[in-house]
Amino acid sequence: MMTLFYLILILFNIIQIDSSLNTCRQTFGPNKYDLNQLSNLTILGEEKSFRYILTPCGLVPTNKCGSSISSFEPGMTACQERIPDARFESAMGFLDGYGKSPNLLFNENPQGPGTGIVMIMRNALCNRRERFVNVTFICDENIKQPTKMNVIEGPICKFKIIVRAAEACPVKEGITGGAIFIIILFVLIIIYLVCGILYNRYKQNQTGLAVIPNRSFWLLLGGMFVDGCKFTWNFVRNCAQRTFSSSASYESV
């Protein structure tokens, strides 16, 4: 039984826990996009005397943003660095959930359905006014894990960024990590039971219910399941009876 427990524990560790931003999963018509696929990347772009660093749907590494005499604000997903002296210039945008407003805004690429997704950031300041950053992620199957982006500023404090990436293409539906875990767990339980029964039958010469491995545990588990069903049924029935009694009393009044 301990072997099965350790196998389950290993599965929990190897399956990636989905802690990514739900806002970075967007659906437009039949097309589903997931920019969380880019959240582990640091994408760079330059324009004039500035370098721009973007980690889509993730926290940008502050050590890439240049030196700063003050602490960085939490939640930065993009930053601006002054190239000549490698000095931090300003934040370009923040992730949702860090107290900045408005939240990130997403639209499908205006070039047409299935061609990519647009992310708009307006929650950082530029010369004490709103900074507008339009990031267009263009679907390009030939570029995976991009590291470069094109940046254009104009007019002042309004930025247009273009990122070409295969990860910006519509997501192809597939089996989820949770479903894979359930399938593997089910298969392991079947293997455990079959091997245990065969061992008890032919090695231990057990018969009847005695061939079930760890029989006392499974009987206890079954009893707990039955007790849980009874408790749930009684709880629902009592709630229904109280509701019916209250309604009847109200109508009589």
Side-chain angles (χ1 to χ4, degrees), residues 105-125:
L105 178 65
F106 294 89
N107 294 301
E108 193 165 24
N109 188 354
Q111 293 181 1
T115 59
I117 186 171
V118 177
M119 179 176 70
I120 297 175
M121 299 184 291
R122 297 169 46 213
N123 52 18
L125 296 179

Side-chain angles (χ1 to χ4, degrees), residues 176-243:
T176 63
I180 293 174
F181 171 76
I182 293 174
I183 292 172
I184 295 176
L185 179 61
F186 180 76
V187 171
L188 288 176
I189 292 175
I190 295 299
I191 294 174
Y192 160 77
L193 289 174
V194 171
C195 292
I197 290 173
L198 291 176
Y199 177 82
N200 288 336
R201 177 66 183 87
Y202 295 103
K203 290 292 184 179
Q204 301 294 328
N205 295 320
Q206 301 287 347
T207 58
L209 293 178
V211 299
I212 300 176
N214 296 289
R215 181 167 59 97
S216 59
F217 168 79
W218 294 108
L219 291 175
L220 176 62
L221 185 64
M224 293 175 64
F225 176 77
V226 172
D227 291 341
C229 291
K230 289 181 179 178
F231 174 82
T232 303
W233 167 250
N234 291 331
F235 178 78
V236 173
R237 185 178 61 181
N238 291 336
C239 288
Q241 289 177 347
R242 285 196 295 268
T243 302

Side-chain angles (χ1 to χ4, degrees), residues 43 45-47 50-55 58 60 65 72-82 88-95 100-102 104 119-127 129-135 149-162:
I43 306 175
E46 295 183 4
E47 201 256 352
F50 294 102
R51 179 180 295 111
Y52 300 89
I53 302 94
L54 169 67
T55 299
V60 66
C65 296
F72 293 99
E73 292 186 78
M76 277 198 308
T77 188
C79 61
Q80 181 184 32
E81 176 193 18
R82 187 176 292 274
F88 172 74
E89 183 68 17
S90 62
M92 294 288 289
F94 294 87
L95 296 176
K100 302 293 184 178
S101 61
L104 301 178
M119 179 176 70
I120 297 175
M121 299 184 291
R122 297 169 46 213
N123 52 18
L125 296 179
C126 174
N127 298 328
R129 60 178 178 177
E130 181 184 82
R131 181 188 299 268
F132 183 89
V133 182
N134 182 305
V135 187
M149 61 185 181
N150 295 324
V151 183
I152 300 175
E153 181 183 9
I156 188 171
C157 293
K158 293 186 181 293
F159 297 83
K160 184 176 182 180
I161 299 175
I162 297 177

